[in-house]
Amino acid sequence: MSEPLLEPFLRWMRLRKVMPHIQRSSQVLDVGCGKSAAFLQSISGSIDRGVGIDFKVDRNISIANITTKRLRLDSDLPFDDASFDVVTMLAVLEHIENEQEILAEIHRVLVPNGKLILTVPSVWAQPVLEFLAYKLRIVSEAEIRDHKRYYTREKLSQVLIEKTGFKQFKHQYFQFWMNNFCVVSK
C-alpha cells in the first residue's frame, strides 16, 4: 500500500526542524523510528551511532553505525543509564498510552545535559488532521485514529519540566501552529 500523499512532505518538514539540534558525533536514540529508520539513515554520516526503536520495525537491521530494534513502548527501555546524547521522538508521543513512564525512561537513558527533541501535534491540528485523514485521505487515517492526545506549549511544559524533570524548555509552533517543536535537556 502506498503512503498517503502528504506524509513524505510532513516528515521532511519535521526533519528540517530537528537536524540543526543534533551535534556531530552524537549517540542518538530515535524512539518511534518507523519501519526503516529513515531519519537515522539520513543523518548517519554525521553521528557516531544511531539506534532506532519501534514496534513497526519489520526486522532488526544493522547498517554501518545504525541499528534498529523491534520494541513496543510499553515497558522499560533496554539501554543502560546515560547511554545517549540525544533522543528524538518525531510525531510519536501523541501515540503512546503511558506517556509519563516513557518520558521517565528517556530521561534515564540520556547523558547529563543530553537533549530530548520532539515534535507533537498541537490542539489546533486535531480538526485539520481529521479532515485530511477522514475526508480527503491525504494523511494516514490509522495514524490519526491512534492519537491519544494533542498538546499546547503549556501542556508540554507541564509534562516535560514539572512531571519528568527536564530543564531548558525550548518550544515553538511550526507548520502554521499545527505542530509543536520542543527541545529539553536532562
Side-chain angles (χ1 to χ4, degrees):
M1 183 174 152
S2 68
E3 192 171 40
L5 181 66
L6 280 183
E7 294 293 329
F9 178 70
L10 295 173
R11 183 172 46 250
W12 174 79
M13 289 182 75
R14 283 191 299 269
L15 299 181
R16 274 191 52 218
K17 294 293 285 181
V18 171
M19 292 174 82
H21 297 274
I22 299 176
Q23 294 182 334
R24 294 189 70 73
S25 304
S26 293
Q27 304 281 326
V28 178
L29 172 63
D30 187 18
V31 176
C33 68
K35 288 183 179 187
S36 64
F39 170 66
L40 289 174
Q41 290 190 52
S42 72
I43 64 169
S44 66
S46 62
I47 61 174
D48 275 355
R49 176 176 72 118
V51 178
I53 58 174
D54 200 316
F55 74 94
K56 295 177 183 177
V57 169
D58 288 329
R59 58 182 173 76
N60 294 343
I61 61 170
S62 184
I63 304 169
N65 60 339
I66 305 297
T67 59
T68 62
K69 181 174 182 61
R70 187 174 191 165
L71 179 71
R72 283 216 169 268
L73 298 175
D74 56 7
S75 62
D76 296 341
L77 296 177
F79 307 108
D80 292 335
D81 294 357
S83 297
F84 296 96
D85 303 306
V86 176
V87 175
T88 55
M89 291 184 84
L90 309 179
V92 174
L93 189 60
E94 67 273 14
H95 296 280
I96 296 176
E97 193 71 48
N98 53 339
E99 166 193 69
Q100 211 53 60
E101 292 85 355
I102 291 301
L103 289 171
E105 276 295 287
I106 289 169
H107 191 273
R108 180 186 65 77
V109 302
L110 277 169
V111 299
N113 298 311
K115 290 192 276 190
L116 167 60
I117 303 169
L118 61 88
T119 64
V120 291
S122 74
V123 294
W124 303 286
Q126 185 173 2
V128 174
L129 289 172
E130 288 174 355
F131 178 76
L132 294 174
Y134 308 148
K135 300 293 185 196
L136 299 182
R137 301 194 187 284
I138 58 174
V139 297
S140 170
E141 185 175 328
E143 291 290 316
I144 302 310
R145 284 197 194 287
D146 189 51
H147 284 183
K148 311 286 188 269
R149 65 195 78 72
Y150 291 82
Y151 294 85
T152 61
R153 180 187 195 284
E154 294 74 23
K155 171 71 174 167
L156 273 175
S157 178
Q158 178 186 41
V159 166
L160 295 169
I161 304 298
E162 296 171 28
K163 292 184 177 179
T164 311
F166 284 103
K167 58 186 181 181
Q168 297 175 354
F169 182 79
K170 295 176 185 154
H171 174 275
Q172 69 181 141
Y173 291 105
F174 73 110
Q175 294 175 337
F176 306 106
W177 284 59
M178 296 292 114
N179 269 296
N180 294 274
F181 173 75
C182 187
V183 180
V184 290
S185 300
K186 179 175 178 180

